Amino acid sequence: MPTITGREVGATGFGLMSLTWAHDPTPKDQAFAAMDAALATGATFWNGGQFYGTPEYNSLHLLRDYFTEHPDAAKDVVLSIKGGLTLEKIPDGSEKFVRQSVEDCLRIL
């Protein structure tokens, strides 16, 4: 089985983009059901993005809400979070912006 940071992950990952980056995001109960199904099938490497949705509701908010409701699932999931884009979706690799992006992600999670 593949490993990331010393933790085993399933051979297939689970991407969260389509759950929140849409005009009408997936309802939480349906998103949670998809996340439950991912875990049940061994997909334990999950990918989200700070920009997968709006600043008010993106995949980080969905993850926070999911793990609040399913705290035991957090030990089974390895997260990969994309960040570093401005609100205009322009990459900004400056130390200051990357640091702010990481801090914003951690604050939401």
Side-chain angles (χ1 to χ4, degrees):
M1 185 173 289
T3 62
I4 297 176
T5 66
R7 294 181 57 193
E8 288 188 351
V9 295
T12 301
F14 181 66
L16 298 161
M17 181 174 69
S18 66
L19 299 177
T20 55
W21 199 0
H23 180 67
D24 293 314
T26 303
K28 248 186 227 182
D29 61 326
Q30 291 178 21
F32 286 7
M35 296 159 92
D36 288 339
L39 277 178
T41 59
T44 58
F45 179 54
W46 292 9
N47 176 261
Q50 184 180 22
F51 47 85
Y52 288 173
T54 66
E56 296 78 28
Y57 185 71
N58 55 54
S59 61
L60 300 170
H61 297 92
L62 182 63
L63 285 163
R64 178 198 61 207
D65 295 348
Y66 179 80
F67 290 128
T68 297
E69 258 188 54
H70 301 87
D72 290 342
K75 69 180 179 351
D76 298 323
V77 173
V78 174
L79 291 177
S80 166
I81 303 295
K82 294 181 184 93
L85 292 184
T86 67
L87 291 175
E88 296 79 26
K89 307 290 190 275
I90 299 169
D92 183 341
S94 69
E95 179 181 349
K96 179 180 179 182
F97 191 80
V98 170
R99 190 173 302 277
Q100 184 62 53
S101 180
V102 169
E103 289 171 2
D104 289 348
C105 290
L106 292 174
R107 179 182 45 75
I108 294 169
L109 289 170

